[in-house]
Short mmCIF file of all heavy atoms in Angstrom, two decimals:
data_model
loop_
_atom_site.label_atom_id
_atom_site.label_comp_id
_atom_site.label_asym_id
_atom_site.label_seq_id
_atom_site.Cartn_x
_atom_site.Cartn_y
_atom_site.Cartn_z
N VAL A 189 122.92 120.06 107.69
CA VAL A 189 124.33 119.93 108.09
C VAL A 189 124.41 118.71 108.98
O VAL A 189 123.41 118.26 109.56
CB VAL A 189 124.90 121.17 108.81
CG1 VAL A 189 124.97 122.37 107.89
CG2 VAL A 189 124.04 121.50 110.05
N LYS A 190 125.59 118.15 109.12
CA LYS A 190 125.75 116.96 109.98
C LYS A 190 125.23 117.26 111.40
O LYS A 190 125.56 118.29 111.98
CB LYS A 190 127.21 116.53 110.05
CG LYS A 190 127.44 115.22 110.78
CD LYS A 190 128.87 114.79 110.75
CE LYS A 190 129.05 113.48 111.50
NZ LYS A 190 130.47 113.02 111.49
N GLY A 191 124.39 116.38 111.89
CA GLY A 191 123.81 116.57 113.21
C GLY A 191 122.42 117.19 113.20
O GLY A 191 121.73 117.25 114.24
N THR A 192 121.97 117.65 112.01
CA THR A 192 120.63 118.20 111.91
C THR A 192 119.58 117.14 112.30
O THR A 192 119.64 116.01 111.82
CB THR A 192 120.33 118.67 110.46
OG1 THR A 192 121.20 119.75 110.15
CG2 THR A 192 118.90 119.14 110.33
N THR A 193 118.64 117.53 113.13
CA THR A 193 117.59 116.63 113.56
C THR A 193 116.27 117.04 112.94
O THR A 193 115.87 118.22 112.99
CB THR A 193 117.45 116.63 115.11
OG1 THR A 193 118.64 116.14 115.68
CG2 THR A 193 116.30 115.74 115.54
N VAL A 194 115.60 116.08 112.31
CA VAL A 194 114.27 116.34 111.74
C VAL A 194 113.25 116.10 112.83
O VAL A 194 113.17 115.01 113.38
CB VAL A 194 114.00 115.42 110.55
CG1 VAL A 194 112.57 115.58 110.05
CG2 VAL A 194 114.98 115.69 109.44
N SER A 195 112.52 117.15 113.18
CA SER A 195 111.53 117.06 114.25
C SER A 195 110.14 116.88 113.67
O SER A 195 109.93 117.10 112.45
CB SER A 195 111.58 118.33 115.11
OG SER A 195 110.98 119.40 114.40
N PRO A 196 109.15 116.51 114.46
CA PRO A 196 107.80 116.31 113.99
C PRO A 196 107.00 117.60 113.86
O PRO A 196 105.84 117.56 113.46
CB PRO A 196 107.17 115.40 115.05
CG PRO A 196 107.89 115.80 116.30
CD PRO A 196 109.29 116.13 115.91
N TYR A 197 107.62 118.73 114.16
CA TYR A 197 106.87 119.98 114.25
C TYR A 197 106.65 120.69 112.91
O TYR A 197 105.75 121.51 112.78
CB TYR A 197 107.57 120.95 115.22
CG TYR A 197 107.68 120.43 116.62
CD1 TYR A 197 108.88 119.92 117.11
CD2 TYR A 197 106.57 120.40 117.47
CE1 TYR A 197 109.00 119.43 118.40
CE2 TYR A 197 106.66 119.90 118.76
CZ TYR A 197 107.89 119.42 119.22
OH TYR A 197 108.00 118.91 120.49
N TYR A 198 107.48 120.37 111.91
CA TYR A 198 107.45 121.18 110.69
C TYR A 198 107.34 120.32 109.44
O TYR A 198 107.29 119.10 109.51
CB TYR A 198 108.70 122.07 110.62
CG TYR A 198 109.00 122.79 111.93
CD1 TYR A 198 110.14 122.49 112.64
CD2 TYR A 198 108.11 123.74 112.44
CE1 TYR A 198 110.41 123.12 113.86
CE2 TYR A 198 108.36 124.37 113.63
CZ TYR A 198 109.52 124.07 114.35
OH TYR A 198 109.77 124.67 115.55
N ASP A 199 107.33 120.98 108.30
CA ASP A 199 107.26 120.33 106.99
C ASP A 199 108.43 119.36 106.81
O ASP A 199 109.50 119.56 107.37
CB ASP A 199 107.32 121.41 105.92
CG ASP A 199 107.07 120.86 104.53
OD1 ASP A 199 105.92 120.74 104.14
OD2 ASP A 199 108.08 120.53 103.86
N SER A 200 108.21 118.31 106.02
CA SER A 200 109.19 117.27 105.84
C SER A 200 110.26 117.59 104.79
O SER A 200 111.16 116.77 104.54
CB SER A 200 108.50 115.96 105.46
OG SER A 200 107.86 116.10 104.21
N LEU A 201 110.17 118.77 104.14
CA LEU A 201 111.11 119.11 103.09
C LEU A 201 112.53 119.27 103.64
O LEU A 201 112.77 120.08 104.52
CB LEU A 201 110.68 120.40 102.39
CG LEU A 201 111.54 120.84 101.22
CD1 LEU A 201 111.45 119.87 100.06
CD2 LEU A 201 111.14 122.27 100.76
N LEU A 202 113.46 118.47 103.09
CA LEU A 202 114.89 118.56 103.48
C LEU A 202 115.67 119.42 102.53
O LEU A 202 116.64 120.05 102.92
CB LEU A 202 115.49 117.15 103.51
CG LEU A 202 114.90 116.15 104.49
CD1 LEU A 202 115.56 114.81 104.30
CD2 LEU A 202 115.04 116.64 105.93
N GLY A 203 115.30 119.41 101.26
CA GLY A 203 116.04 120.17 100.27
C GLY A 203 115.45 119.99 98.92
O GLY A 203 114.52 119.18 98.70
N LYS A 204 115.98 120.76 97.95
CA LYS A 204 115.49 120.69 96.57
C LYS A 204 116.70 120.54 95.66
O LYS A 204 117.62 121.37 95.68
CB LYS A 204 114.72 121.99 96.25
CG LYS A 204 113.53 122.21 97.17
CD LYS A 204 112.89 123.54 96.94
CE LYS A 204 113.78 124.72 97.28
NZ LYS A 204 113.07 126.00 97.25
N LEU A 205 116.68 119.48 94.87
CA LEU A 205 117.76 119.20 93.94
C LEU A 205 117.32 119.74 92.58
O LEU A 205 116.31 119.30 92.03
CB LEU A 205 118.03 117.70 93.85
CG LEU A 205 119.14 117.26 92.92
CD1 LEU A 205 120.50 117.87 93.32
CD2 LEU A 205 119.26 115.73 92.91
N ILE A 206 118.08 120.71 92.04
CA ILE A 206 117.73 121.37 90.81
C ILE A 206 118.86 121.24 89.81
O ILE A 206 120.03 121.45 90.15
CB ILE A 206 117.44 122.87 91.04
CG1 ILE A 206 116.52 123.07 92.25
CG2 ILE A 206 116.77 123.50 89.81
CD1 ILE A 206 117.21 123.66 93.44
N VAL A 207 118.54 120.88 88.57
CA VAL A 207 119.53 120.77 87.54
C VAL A 207 118.97 121.40 86.25
O VAL A 207 117.78 121.53 86.08
CB VAL A 207 119.93 119.30 87.24
CG1 VAL A 207 120.42 118.61 88.49
CG2 VAL A 207 118.77 118.52 86.61
N SER A 208 119.88 121.81 85.35
CA SER A 208 119.46 122.35 84.08
C SER A 208 120.45 121.97 82.99
O SER A 208 121.63 121.70 83.28
CB SER A 208 119.30 123.86 84.14
OG SER A 208 120.56 124.50 84.36
N ALA A 209 119.97 121.96 81.74
CA ALA A 209 120.82 121.63 80.60
C ALA A 209 120.16 122.18 79.35
O ALA A 209 119.07 122.76 79.39
CB ALA A 209 120.98 120.10 80.50
N GLY A 210 120.82 121.98 78.20
CA GLY A 210 120.34 122.54 76.95
C GLY A 210 119.08 121.93 76.42
O GLY A 210 118.31 122.56 75.69
N THR A 211 118.84 120.63 76.75
CA THR A 211 117.65 119.95 76.29
C THR A 211 117.03 119.19 77.48
O THR A 211 117.69 118.93 78.48
CB THR A 211 117.95 118.95 75.17
OG1 THR A 211 118.76 117.88 75.72
CG2 THR A 211 118.67 119.62 74.03
N ARG A 212 115.77 118.79 77.33
CA ARG A 212 115.10 118.03 78.37
C ARG A 212 115.76 116.68 78.58
O ARG A 212 115.92 116.20 79.70
CB ARG A 212 113.61 117.85 78.07
CG ARG A 212 112.83 117.18 79.21
CD ARG A 212 111.34 117.21 78.93
NE ARG A 212 110.59 116.70 80.07
CZ ARG A 212 110.23 115.44 80.25
NH1 ARG A 212 110.53 114.54 79.30
NH2 ARG A 212 109.56 115.06 81.32
N GLU A 213 116.20 116.05 77.48
CA GLU A 213 116.89 114.75 77.58
C GLU A 213 118.17 114.86 78.38
O GLU A 213 118.45 114.03 79.23
CB GLU A 213 117.19 114.24 76.15
CG GLU A 213 117.81 112.83 76.16
CD GLU A 213 118.10 112.32 74.76
OE1 GLU A 213 117.78 113.04 73.79
OE2 GLU A 213 118.65 111.22 74.64
N GLU A 214 118.93 115.92 78.14
CA GLU A 214 120.16 116.13 78.90
C GLU A 214 119.86 116.42 80.35
O GLU A 214 120.57 115.96 81.27
CB GLU A 214 120.95 117.32 78.31
CG GLU A 214 121.54 117.06 76.95
CD GLU A 214 122.19 118.31 76.37
OE1 GLU A 214 121.49 119.33 76.19
OE2 GLU A 214 123.42 118.26 76.12
N THR A 215 118.79 117.18 80.61
CA THR A 215 118.39 117.48 81.99
C THR A 215 118.00 116.22 82.74
O THR A 215 118.37 116.04 83.90
CB THR A 215 117.24 118.49 82.00
OG1 THR A 215 117.65 119.71 81.39
CG2 THR A 215 116.75 118.76 83.41
N LEU A 216 117.29 115.32 82.08
CA LEU A 216 116.89 114.05 82.69
C LEU A 216 118.12 113.23 83.06
O LEU A 216 118.20 112.65 84.16
CB LEU A 216 115.99 113.28 81.75
CG LEU A 216 114.53 113.68 81.73
CD1 LEU A 216 113.82 113.12 80.52
CD2 LEU A 216 113.81 113.24 83.01
N ARG A 217 119.08 113.17 82.15
CA ARG A 217 120.31 112.39 82.45
C ARG A 217 121.04 113.00 83.62
O ARG A 217 121.55 112.29 84.52
CB ARG A 217 121.22 112.35 81.23
CG ARG A 217 120.70 111.43 80.11
CD ARG A 217 121.80 111.05 79.15
NE ARG A 217 122.39 112.21 78.50
CZ ARG A 217 122.00 112.65 77.29
NH1 ARG A 217 121.04 112.03 76.63
NH2 ARG A 217 122.61 113.70 76.73
N LYS A 218 121.10 114.33 83.66
CA LYS A 218 121.79 115.01 84.74
C LYS A 218 121.07 114.79 86.08
O LYS A 218 121.71 114.59 87.12
CB LYS A 218 121.93 116.51 84.45
CG LYS A 218 122.75 117.28 85.46
CD LYS A 218 122.95 118.73 85.06
CE LYS A 218 123.91 118.84 83.90
NZ LYS A 218 124.30 120.24 83.61
N MET A 219 119.74 114.81 86.03
CA MET A 219 118.99 114.58 87.28
C MET A 219 119.18 113.17 87.78
O MET A 219 119.37 112.95 88.99
CB MET A 219 117.51 114.89 87.06
CG MET A 219 116.65 114.67 88.32
SD MET A 219 117.17 115.70 89.72
CE MET A 219 116.33 117.25 89.32
N ARG A 220 119.16 112.19 86.89
CA ARG A 220 119.39 110.81 87.36
C ARG A 220 120.76 110.68 87.98
O ARG A 220 120.90 110.05 89.03
CB ARG A 220 119.28 109.86 86.13
CG ARG A 220 117.90 109.75 85.55
CD ARG A 220 117.85 108.74 84.42
NE ARG A 220 116.72 108.99 83.51
CZ ARG A 220 116.83 109.36 82.25
NH1 ARG A 220 118.04 109.51 81.70
NH2 ARG A 220 115.76 109.56 81.50
N ALA A 221 121.77 111.24 87.35
CA ALA A 221 123.14 111.16 87.89
C ALA A 221 123.23 111.87 89.25
O ALA A 221 123.88 111.35 90.18
CB ALA A 221 124.13 111.76 86.91
N SER A 222 122.59 113.00 89.37
CA SER A 222 122.64 113.76 90.61
C SER A 222 121.92 113.07 91.75
O SER A 222 122.38 113.08 92.89
CB SER A 222 122.06 115.18 90.37
OG SER A 222 122.82 115.88 89.42
N LEU A 223 120.77 112.46 91.44
CA LEU A 223 120.04 111.70 92.47
C LEU A 223 120.87 110.50 92.95
O LEU A 223 120.87 110.19 94.14
CB LEU A 223 118.71 111.23 91.92
CG LEU A 223 117.59 112.29 91.83
CD1 LEU A 223 116.44 111.79 90.96
CD2 LEU A 223 117.09 112.69 93.20
N CYS A 224 121.57 109.87 92.03
CA CYS A 224 122.42 108.73 92.41
C CYS A 224 123.59 109.18 93.29
O CYS A 224 124.04 108.42 94.14
CB CYS A 224 122.98 108.04 91.15
SG CYS A 224 121.74 107.10 90.25
N GLU A 225 124.03 110.41 93.09
CA GLU A 225 125.18 110.92 93.85
C GLU A 225 124.76 111.50 95.20
O GLU A 225 125.58 111.54 96.14
CB GLU A 225 125.91 111.97 93.04
CG GLU A 225 127.25 112.40 93.63
CD GLU A 225 127.98 113.40 92.76
OE1 GLU A 225 127.63 113.55 91.58
OE2 GLU A 225 128.89 114.06 93.31
N LEU A 226 123.53 111.96 95.31
CA LEU A 226 123.07 112.57 96.56
C LEU A 226 122.94 111.50 97.66
O LEU A 226 122.22 110.51 97.50
CB LEU A 226 121.70 113.23 96.34
CG LEU A 226 121.04 113.88 97.56
CD1 LEU A 226 121.90 115.00 98.15
CD2 LEU A 226 119.64 114.42 97.20
N ILE A 227 123.65 111.70 98.77
CA ILE A 227 123.64 110.75 99.87
C ILE A 227 123.17 111.45 101.15
O ILE A 227 123.77 112.46 101.56
CB ILE A 227 125.02 110.10 100.10
CG1 ILE A 227 125.46 109.35 98.85
CG2 ILE A 227 124.98 109.17 101.30
CD1 ILE A 227 126.89 108.85 98.92
N ILE A 228 122.14 110.93 101.75
CA ILE A 228 121.66 111.43 103.06
C ILE A 228 121.49 110.22 103.96
O ILE A 228 120.66 109.37 103.70
CB ILE A 228 120.31 112.18 102.90
CG1 ILE A 228 120.50 113.42 102.00
CG2 ILE A 228 119.77 112.59 104.27
CD1 ILE A 228 119.19 114.12 101.69
#
């Protein structure tokens, strides 16, 4: 959330972006689009 501080005490994982679709090709396109849209 806005203001969250990443400290040196724990794992570096911030989140997991998960997508699904009817085929692997569609899933790849959706993942590329989602990664482009994700802003941190």
Side-chain angles (χ1 to χ4, degrees):
V189 292
K190 187 177 180 180
T192 296
T193 297
V194 175
S195 74
Y197 299 103
Y198 314 114
D199 187 86
S200 63
L201 183 66
L202 298 176
K204 301 174 295 190
L205 181 60
I206 314 108
V207 304
S208 66
T211 67
R212 186 172 186 268
E213 184 179 358
E214 291 175 300
T215 298
L216 279 164
R217 288 200 298 266
K218 184 175 288 190
M219 180 58 83
R220 293 184 202 114
S222 297
L223 283 166
C224 288
E225 191 178 342
L226 178 61
I227 299 173
I228 298 174

